[in-house]
Amino acid sequence: MNSRSGISYFTDEHDLFRQTFRDFLEKEVKPHIDEWEKAGELPRSIYKKFGEMGFFGMTHEEKYGGSAGDMWYNVIFDEELARMNSGGFSASIGAHPMLAMTHLNHEGTEEQKQRYLVPGIKGEKVGCLAITERFGGSDVQAIRTTAVKDGDDYILNGSKTFITNGVLSDFLIIVAKTAPELKAKGISLFIVDRESDGLSATALDKLGWRASDTGEIAMDNVRVPASNLLGHENHGFFYIMQHFVSERLAMANGGVATSAYAMEVTLKYMNEREAFGRKINKFQVLRHHIAQMASEIEMNRQFCYSLYDRYQNGDYLVKEASMAKLVCTQMADRVVTQCLQMFGGYGFMEEYPMARMFRDTRLGQIGGGTSEILCEIISKIMIDKEGYQAPN
Amino acid sequence: MNSRSGISYFTDEHDLFRQTFRDFLEKEVKPHIDEWEKAGELPRSIYKKFGEMGFFGMTHEEKYGGSAGDMWYNVIFDEELARMNSGGFSASIGAHPMLAMTHLNHEGTEEQKQRYLVPGIKGEKVGCLAITERFGGSDVQAIRTTAVKDGDDYILNGSKTFITNGVLSDFLIIVAKTAPELKAKGISLFIVDRESDGLSATALDKLGWRASDTGEIAMDNVRVPASNLLGHENHGFFYIMQHFVSERLAMANGGVATSAYAMEVTLKYMNEREAFGRKINKFQVLRHHIAQMASEIEMNRQFCYSLYDRYQNGDYLVKEASMAKLVCTQMADRVVTQCLQMFGGYGFMEEYPMARMFRDTRLGQIGGGTSEILCEIISKIMIDKEGYQAPN
Amino acid sequence: MNKIFFTEEHELFRQSLRAFLNKEVRPNIEQWEADEEIPRSIYKRFGEMGFMGVTYPEKYGGMGLDTFFSVVYTEEMIKMNSSGFNTSIGAHAGLALAHINGEGSEDQKQNYLTPGLAGKRIGCLAITEPSGGSDVASISTKASRDGDHFIINGSKTFISNGVLSDYIVAAVRTGGPGAKGLSMVIIDRETPGVSATKLKKMGWHASDTGEIAFDNVRIPDSQLLGEENKGFFYIMQHFASERLGMALIAVSQAQLALDLAIDYMAEREVFGRTIDKFQVLRHRIAQLSSEVTSARAFVYLLYKQYSEGDYIIKEAAMAKLVTTQLSDKVCYECMRLFGGYGYMESYPMARLLRDSQLGTIGGGTSEVLCEIISKMIIDTKEYKAVI
Amino acid sequence: MNKIFFTEEHELFRQSLRAFLNKEVRPNIEQWEADEEIPRSIYKRFGEMGFMGVTYPEKYGGMGLDTFFSVVYTEEMIKMNSSGFNTSIGAHAGLALAHINGEGSEDQKQNYLTPGLAGKRIGCLAITEPSGGSDVASISTKASRDGDHFIINGSKTFISNGVLSDYIVAAVRTGGPGAKGLSMVIIDRETPGVSATKLKKMGWHASDTGEIAFDNVRIPDSQLLGEENKGFFYIMQHFASERLGMALIAVSQAQLALDLAIDYMAEREVFGRTIDKFQVLRHRIAQLSSEVTSARAFVYLLYKQYSEGDYIIKEAAMAKLVTTQLSDKVCYECMRLFGGYGYMESYPMARLLRDSQLGTIGGGTSEVLCEIISKMIIDTKEYKAVI
């Protein structure tokens, strides 16, 4: 919970929501995490419960079933998910509202919103966002999936990988080239229903994020009606770039939240565990590790909050959001590794919280733009003075 | 494979053994690793094959079925195991000869050697070494398991944890206090048969090392004949300390071997994977990472080899072996983390080698004395000028 | 970022201060670094221009401006690339005067604060002793009562302006052992028994860093600053703003290093191209810029909290801890990026690195900060404001 | 460790060198650091004692000893805590003379090596140029043939002994562009057209580091060292031993920092106990000692391989890369362990840190080393010995 002294971005309403949501998670989620981790997927029922409680609609308009809250509700949502200590759960639950529905909300037509966003907010339909391909990685411009116009339809061919909810979702927002010769300017987004002919998916076995299904998707002449084009044709790259900022901020703050949770459970353990006749929280070396980590967490948390604040005010933050994801996910790796080490042998045991956190956290520097890609973007802005300006 | 130019610690015979052993592992082990990782244990048949090939007896006397080779055979043994990319396999296969049989060989009576060492070398009987307890961790002096003399027997009570081969081994070398009031000087070692009444064990679920069974062992009035006392009563602490050096050297060099293998597979991947139109091994940032890692690996490898060399010459190396384990396992964490990052999203996928290596490597800084405990030992020697002298 | 914390007025102030510094300070820095002190005249100019007491009350000659003017002030001062210069002004205006403004009587303010803000009477703050390091509670300089006077004996070290200042705000032991026996006193330089010697340092060359000895120094008890035996709490109180100031300095130094490096990279050619095309160097800039940007957001936020009256002892310690580590790292990496020129004193990076490297030591070493932070986090100890 | 690499004779040599250094060098270091040079007399004393040319042939006045004597030599030199001093001797004996001993004609050896080993004629090695940095192949100092003479024009920078040496072993372009157009020449200081200016540096104060200009410098072609247009390969050849030497220096500096820190920790008290009782500082020593011990094992092994004739270009680059990074880290952490005293020039750590921080720059920056190493490892390129 965040201190209310001095500057606070959170109101009493935010805090109330945080408490409600935390109680809900403790009751409806925490007891099932181990089982979902084992299953490698989430049951539909949990999406429905989220939907019933309104947790998918916090920032959406009331006419679609949302409660029109501000962006800090998303921040709280992410922070509280992190306390479940299941990157897979957070990813599966989060990819639906944060990735799929974000695009629907911004670029969808009224008809598309009625068909996908409304049931999405209710938790009755689950979505995913499919950008990445085997060849290309974080290089969005290099995608090879094509969508060729055929009468009133588009025919999609190609494949996607590393797609969270890629196997179990009901609909997929798929990125494809509608004009390959135009490179970045020839990319479009499509809403594809799961039952479409020619669409298949297989789940991947991963180091962590085990409660989420991460899919590889193949499209063999998948026919999509033109009414399922999302936004304007050939504007896809800009839509993606635009939402990258919020995605990166979420991953950055997720890194902070994970780090804070790692420290919380570690402090608790250190206060219980004894060695050489005293509690291990009395050992200077371990204490200084805590002091160092706490300071870095606090710094990065304030960085993220200040960026959310600016984001809400409409600032264009490609550079800063990339910076934040870079440093916060690096910090999370350091903090989680160090905290695991504090648990000694128990750190390696799956019955204690750090083993899973260690496996899950490692994705931070990989997903949503690797650290190396972020460095490329940041150095282009800092050194080559490239603008990465907002599209108009 | 080590360069033969300049200083080499390896002879043609060593190289021949390395090749033979590598071929054997490629054929008999590699194809089964995934299955054993899933099973959480190794089949008995693989121990038997190791035994039949003489791989458990390389350094043992011929009269027990060994081939009386020098210590470099153990070094090669460890290095080649690392190439299987299964910390669990290495641990299970290694704990038997390196931990259990080392004690048998050094402290065992002729009769004990005939009963345990000879079948051990044949791979017919598998052993484990049980020191660590829930309360105490790396603090050997704090163990609570007791062995009370009762006629010609000892009665053992207590528990052990984090014991590799703790569930499936045929015999256990168990550390217990025979004179608790004497602290470190009241510790003894016992050989305990698996079928002993009152002995029970459960397997632990771990972050990595999944192909090995790691057991928690409970002893409820386990009766052990006095003939199963290993070495002299109350000398246990010194036996353990003595073998800690070789164990730490092995873990240090294991860290180097893992790092080298990580770099090998990463270089291969970098030479295949393309991004932005060229092989990723052309990106300067990644190249410099490789250069830095290669340099650190080379440095630490030479450090380990120089220590093995001195160890073979009879030098007393508590400080240096602790130093080596500290820095080499830290390096392995850095290298493996960095190499996983080089794989991008594939680094997170279990079908690629880095995910498992990442999970497995994390034990390096924990097992066999955590980095923090090693720092305690090293600073006592460096700063307080404590001798940690060899017992006479 | 600026829009959140800075107004148009801050920006105007920045411009005018920058113009002043570029004209009257920058051309003299090399000389002052060589002299190992700055001249009295520059204090006077700061006083005349109103730059000495940006946030101090107008009543005493300050400008009465808000905290973010002092942030602007520090950011611009650091661009002169001389911690010694910045400290010479700061040890007077930011340390000595902060105590006098905070705890001084009206008489003391008239005597020291007013001429101080005019740049005519220069002070220093003397807490650290040779034997104690960062252990403030164990200060051993003794002030024994003698009627309405104190007789002071002891010594202080690492004191900025320790040799050249006109007076010394010193922590002395008036009571029993421990934190509760300390008081602050103002000792005029000319008082018999005060002597000082200059210390040679790795960096901060333009500042006069002194070791001060008190040999039966007799001062009237009207020179007591605030209440007797409350010195420890006054010191702690001012530590938060001092540490926050050091954090801001650290972030500003790191930013300066990056700015200098980016400029240099665009000009320097090797292997036939400017070095800003080498991926390894580009990523280094990207990484370090990101860390500095994060650190600055943190420091700005704390200034905001501080300006709203929050007692941010933990956060200030955290900020100093991480930012001074960061500054050392950034200055080191950017120095190396200049190749051999980085090591040459005729280029800016050598001094910047040398100057930065006091950051993790002065004003509480990183280790002392870790002790404070871990007490607050692990032992849930709270440090309270005195008032 | 010593038993593997060092014999009784090495130990005796160590004792006698150490006694000499403690008597004739240590008391003068402060003065030489302030002078920014070392006097001619100390070169002579090195020559008289035989310490100038430990491994050079006896025929020319060297001692003809094995490589590990030079290891002992460096380890003891570094204990003087003045890289400037060490470099002043080393740039002559280890760099300039190495080229003359390696590629010089008998005449050249009589002219330069013999008086050089006697400490009477001092040399420097001039490769780096202002524009090129570590890019040796792009050297632009031009040597144009004029009958049996060369006319040399160009400039060199960062040259140790660049101002005070009697002659300059310089890399010049005698042929076309690229690596294959370079030659080495010996240029006597008094030759018309040679001028030099001293550079101010962050550390290495006792060494004279110069920028040298050649303005129509005319030298006979008998001053060519080795074969024409083979200069690049000679330079590369000597780089391995130079880098190995820098690695040994780095390890020795790091060890010195640790030794000084451990001694200091046993004496310094804060909070009522000596600081060697603080776990955080203890673990820091444990960690850094372990890293230094590993690094030293690596360097010793490479010396062994080098002494047995191995061409260890990759390993020497690796060793310099990791040991100079390590030395910077260790010196920095140990400096901080001294608290405020670490920053004072009257304590040893400030200079040690300043001196260390050239390590990752000089003799090939870390980035250039990474280029070489990655070419060898990733592109499987091999660098071959010339001979």
Side-chain angles (χ1 to χ4, degrees), chain D residues 355-375:
Chain D
D355 282 356
S356 172
Q357 286 174 334
L358 187 64
T360 60
I361 298 171
T365 63
S366 297
E367 290 71 21
V368 164
L369 298 174
C370 280
E371 288 293 323
I372 294 168
I373 297 164
S374 52
K375 267 183 202 130

Side-chain angles (χ1 to χ4, degrees), chain D residues 113-182:
Chain D
L113 185 57
T114 301
L117 293 176
K120 292 176 180 161
R121 202 170 187 187
I122 308 305
C124 70
L125 178 66
I127 296 173
T128 306
E129 303 190 345
S131 60
S134 296
D135 182 8
V136 174
S138 77
I139 275 172
S140 66
T141 294
K142 183 92 188 122
S144 322
R145 269 240 175 238
D146 180 34
D148 54 2
H149 280 67
F150 288 106
I151 315 284
I152 300 169
N153 281 287
S155 62
K156 297 289 177 181
T157 196
F158 307 144
I159 311 304
S160 296
N161 296 351
V163 178
L164 299 172
S165 60
D166 300 303
Y167 62 93
I168 301 146
V169 176
V172 295
R173 184 162 303 281
T174 44
K180 289 178 179 172
L182 297 180

Side-chain angles (χ1 to χ4, degrees), chain D residues 206-219:
Chain D
S207 97
D208 137 41
T209 304
E211 191 154 66
I212 304 177
F214 303 114
D215 177 18
N216 284 315
V217 174
R218 187 179 168 83
I219 60 165

Side-chain angles (χ1 to χ4, degrees), chain A residues 38 205 210, chain B residues 31-46 86 88-89 92 167-168 202-206 208-214 356 359:
Chain A
K38 204 158 198 171
D205 186 16
R210 296 204 166 163
Chain B
H32 306 290
I33 286 289
D34 286 348
E35 165 196 344
W36 299 341
E37 283 277 321
K38 203 158 197 170
E41 60 185 65
L42 303 188
R44 271 320 172 92
S45 56
I46 190 63
S86 167
F89 169 73
S92 265
V167 178
L168 299 173
T202 50
L204 299 166
D205 187 17
K206 308 176 302 295
W209 283 31
R210 296 205 166 162
S212 83
D213 75 290
T214 300
R356 185 192 298 150
R359 291 191 280 104

Side-chain angles (χ1 to χ4, degrees), chain D residues 240-241 244 302-303 305-306 309-318:
Chain D
S241 73
L244 197 47
L302 293 181
Y303 265 104
Q305 294 188 4
Y306 178 71
D310 271 22
Y311 194 64
I312 50 163
I313 213 148
K314 181 178 75 179
E315 291 79 2
M318 288 176 155

